[in-house]
Amino acid sequence: MGKKSRKNGENGKKIGENSEKNPEKKGGKNGKKGKKWRKNPEKIGKRREVGWAGLYWSVLVRTGPYWSILVRTGPPQLCRWLPVGRLKYYFAVDSVYVGRKLRLLLFPFRHPDWQVRYQQDTPVAPRFDVNAPDLYIPAMAFLTYILLAGLALGTQNRFSPDSLGLVASSALAWLLLEVLSVLLSLYLVTVSTDLTPIDLLAFAGYKYVGMIVGLLAGLLLGRAGYYAALSWCCLSSFIFTIRTLRLKLLSEAAAEGVPVRGARNQLRMYLTTAIGAAQPLLMYWLTSHLLR
Amino acid sequence: MAFTLYSLLQASLLIVNAVAVLHEERFLRHVGWGSDQGIGGFGEEPGIKAQLTNLIRSIRTVMRVPLIALNSITIVLLLLFG
């Protein structure tokens, strides 16, 4: 577990094929995204065609330098729980990864390999591996959910600025509660895993994508559309969570699919299933009151 | 939906207070959750009950002083602002 608390100096190592593009990169001073824009101006035009994803992306790119400043001048050793130095890895995404990950979140049934690729003991940045957790999609999905909730309330004449703040605060509270209870149950079952709380936050935030799809269907197609879209998204979120967590929580043999006897593995399987089952429940709970 | 961050904070403060008042000798021993009961075994992993017992004991040890400060602040703020 010590590798998680390594400082920026060692984590600033670049993956092989990127180091030629950004030779003078130094610990993310201007943000990787800043250098990339300047070096490849012809890509700016291409990126702008992406639509709303491009809008969100441009917001994140413009605040990119501030993220790295925040990361660099934070307290030197917060604690094991907040690996601040690794935070920038969770935002090292690009449009291709976002597209693939969204497709995976909504249709996880045909994906063959769920193992996260490692590079010298640290997980690879999400840009190079579609299985790696990131914080960009959960953050954007959370904000979009709040905006959609405001829209849903507005179309039913139930809107007021207070209610929007209430929805945001409530969703954040549920997120925190879920992450804390997962952490508590991981502690009680004594699972030795390399899941950081930020990973758990990312996995908890992935359900907001399904919630957005359900809300959109409910707004456009009425109750029937809402139930249909939501049940699909609940199922895919359940499968996605179980398949991702299975590799991290269960022992090697059990993760391969071989049924392993023993109380410990059974307990871990129950835990994985419980975490997976909590996703659809929360998805339903957080969206049903918006589409009354 | 009345579940806000503030109510989460309130609930967590109350729960931590509740854990802190569980007395070791007068109560936990009689139930069988004392800190020196049956945590033996150096070999394999401790079960859930041993983990819970450890958790209760560590919460009581760690949060004793911060809880005094938190409770005082909460009392003063609630008196002032309702």
Side-chain angles (χ1 to χ4, degrees):
Chain A
M1 292 293 239
K3 57 182 178 275
K4 288 291 176 268
S5 54
R6 256 191 253 151
K7 280 299 297 172
N8 253 346
E10 286 147 44
N11 276 342
K13 261 192 306 206
K14 293 309 296 164
I15 317 289
E17 58 266 28
N18 241 1
S19 52
E20 293 88 53
K21 269 195 229 162
N22 303 322
E24 66 265 14
K25 178 178 168 13
K26 209 160 204 46
K29 179 172 186 286
N30 278 331
K32 256 183 284 189
K33 300 148 193 122
K35 290 266 181 202
K36 221 183 191 183
W37 286 100
R38 278 207 296 269
K39 278 185 179 294
N40 301 318
E42 69 273 7
K43 284 210 174 156
I44 297 181
K46 285 190 196 146
R47 284 270 162 88
R48 283 219 181 111
E49 293 167 11
V50 186
W52 72 262
L55 175 68
Y56 283 125
W57 177 251
S58 64
V59 166
L60 193 66
V61 161
R62 286 193 181 101
T63 57
Y66 302 107
W67 287 110
S68 56
I69 290 176
L70 190 69
V71 163
R72 237 181 352 124
T73 61
Q77 186 82 20
L78 267 183
C79 46
R80 182 181 66 87
W81 283 22
L82 286 179
V84 183
R86 272 196 54 80
L87 201 60
K88 67 178 186 211
Y89 278 91
Y90 289 96
F91 288 98
V93 298
D94 59 354
S95 309
V96 174
Y97 169 81
V98 169
R100 281 198 198 136
K101 192 80 179 194
L102 286 178
R103 202 179 59 196
L104 192 65
L105 280 169
L106 294 174
F107 195 77
F109 307 109
R110 305 273 308 256
H111 189 71
D113 178 28
W114 291 81
Q115 182 66 263
V116 177
R117 287 206 297 272
Y118 282 81
Q119 197 236 0
Q120 296 161 11
D121 276 350
T122 58
V124 163
R127 188 176 292 149
F128 305 104
D129 179 22
V130 79
N131 290 324
D134 72 313
L135 277 180
Y136 174 76
I137 291 180
M140 293 294 144
F142 184 74
L143 295 173
T144 311
Y145 162 78
I146 295 175
L147 294 176
L148 263 184
L151 185 70
L153 289 175
T155 54
Q156 299 163 21
N157 289 327
R158 278 195 288 151
F159 182 81
S160 74
D162 299 339
S163 61
L164 199 65
L166 200 64
V167 166
S169 174
S170 159
L172 199 61
W174 278 111
L175 204 65
L176 274 176
L177 188 66
E178 184 186 349
V179 172
L180 286 176
S181 31
V182 170
L183 276 172
L184 179 69
S185 47
L186 283 180
Y187 169 76
L188 286 181
V189 178
T190 59
V191 170
S192 68
T193 172
D194 58 349
L195 279 178
T196 62
I198 300 192
D199 285 339
L200 293 174
L201 187 66
F203 290 134
Y206 279 142
K207 68 162 101 53
Y208 281 94
V209 177
M211 279 199 256
I212 291 170
V213 172
L215 267 181
L216 272 177
L219 285 174
L220 295 174
L221 305 171
R223 284 305 257 191
Y226 166 67
Y227 281 127
L230 196 71
S231 33
W232 174 265
C233 292
C234 284
L235 184 66
S236 49
S237 168
F238 181 65
I239 300 286
F240 176 84
T241 311
I242 288 198
R243 284 209 179 151
T244 313
L245 289 180
R246 191 173 63 166
L247 285 171
K248 304 246 175 176
L249 292 184
L250 300 183
S251 60
E252 287 298 322
E256 305 268 320
V258 178
V260 177
R261 281 295 110 197
R264 215 176 61 202
N265 271 316
Q266 208 176 21
L267 201 55
R268 291 184 187 189
M269 197 47 169
Y270 283 150
L271 180 66
T272 317
T273 316
I275 296 177
Q279 314 280 324
L281 286 176
L282 280 175
M283 284 169 72
Y284 176 73
W285 184 254
L286 284 172
T287 48
S288 62
H289 69 101
L290 290 172
L291 284 174
R292 227 187 295 144
Chain B
M1 179 65 75
F3 184 51
T4 61
L5 272 175
Y6 178 63
S7 55
L8 194 63
L9 281 172
Q10 267 184 322
S12 59
L13 184 65
L14 287 173
I15 289 181
V16 175
N17 272 323
V19 172
V21 300
L22 296 172
H23 197 277
E24 187 74 32
E25 275 188 22
R26 292 180 198 162
F27 172 64
L28 290 178
R29 290 243 167 99
H30 299 305
V31 190
W33 282 33
S35 55
D36 51 352
Q37 285 171 334
I39 318 184
F42 233 23
E44 277 309 308
E45 318 178 340
I48 292 195
K49 183 179 133 180
Q51 288 287 96
L52 266 178
T53 314
N54 269 335
L55 186 67
I56 291 180
R57 187 172 55 124
S58 39
I59 289 182
R60 295 192 67 230
T61 320
V62 166
M63 295 298 288
R64 189 159 292 184
V65 172
L67 265 183
I68 300 176
L70 271 176
N71 282 333
S72 326
I73 295 177
T74 311
I75 290 173
V76 167
L77 283 180
L78 281 179
L79 278 177
L80 285 181
F81 301 116

